[in-house]
Amino acid sequence: MSTRAQESQQPMETINTELSDRLKRAADQIQSQHRRLEPIFEDLGRALAGGSSRDAQTAAFRLSGAVKAHILLEEEVVFPAIRGLCPERHAELEALVEDHQGLSAGLQNVIDQVLKGQLDLAAGSLESCRLAVKDHEYREEAFLNALDSAPPDCTL
């Protein structure tokens, strides 16, 4: 019997429990990634302070790649699962996605400044971006943690 056929014979409660367990692991991964972003921001800050355009570009692209991968995990894996389990939380998820768009634009601004050799300007923009990311992470983690105490029909 195929895996899909076996899954279709499982009670819906079992499937939801498995999805909830996977979602909890993904939420833990998101929070872990949040902690790993801070040192990458710091690396770019040091590169900008050091005055080397080449080092700053390398660090900026590293930060950009890390943020893009993180957003992809959230928007393509975690958020759709939450929408499926907790459709009443759609508006909150959309606000987080809008944050991602703003954060991506802010980071792109930093990269553009680095590519133009405007390292002092990029340092100020980076600090604004870092603070916006920290605020977003705080709200996102509060949202994920609140799901743990949600009603049984929306329990992760």
Side-chain angles (χ1 to χ4, degrees), residues 105-154:
L107 184 55
Q108 186 59 54
N109 184 50
V110 172
I111 291 169
D112 291 344
Q113 291 166 344
V114 168
L115 292 174
K116 292 176 185 173
Q118 301 170 330
L119 303 187
D120 289 339
L121 189 58
S125 297
L126 177 67
E127 182 59 15
S128 295
C129 187
R130 187 189 68 76
L131 291 173
V133 166
K134 294 306 281 180
D135 179 65
H136 170 78
E137 289 172 347
Y138 175 80
R139 287 182 290 109
E140 191 169 72
E141 289 179 20
F143 171 78
L144 293 170
N145 291 331
L147 292 176
D148 281 335
S149 59
D153 61 333
C154 182

Side-chain angles (χ1 to χ4, degrees), residues 11-97:
M12 188 55 115
E13 183 177 303
T14 301
I15 293 170
N16 281 343
T17 299
E18 289 173 4
L19 181 58
S20 293
D21 290 345
R22 288 181 193 165
L23 201 49
K24 278 184 184 179
R25 286 191 301 273
D28 289 344
Q29 184 179 2
I30 285 172
Q31 292 178 354
S32 174
Q33 285 181 354
H34 286 167
R35 302 304 156 265
R36 289 188 299 230
L37 285 176
E38 184 61 29
I40 301 172
F41 270 98
E42 291 170 359
D43 288 346
L44 177 53
R46 280 191 295 276
L48 291 169
S52 166
S53 288
R54 174 179 244 163
D55 291 346
Q57 286 177 16
T58 299
F61 290 133
R62 180 172 174 240
L63 177 60
S64 177
V67 169
K68 285 178 184 177
H70 177 72
I71 288 173
L72 186 65
L73 170 68
E74 292 177 345
E75 292 186 7
E76 299 296 323
V77 177
V78 177
F79 291 180
I82 294 171
R83 279 186 194 98
L85 287 172
C86 311
E88 70 280 2
R89 306 302 290 263
H90 179 80
E92 294 165 278
L93 288 170
E94 287 309 307
L96 293 172
V97 169

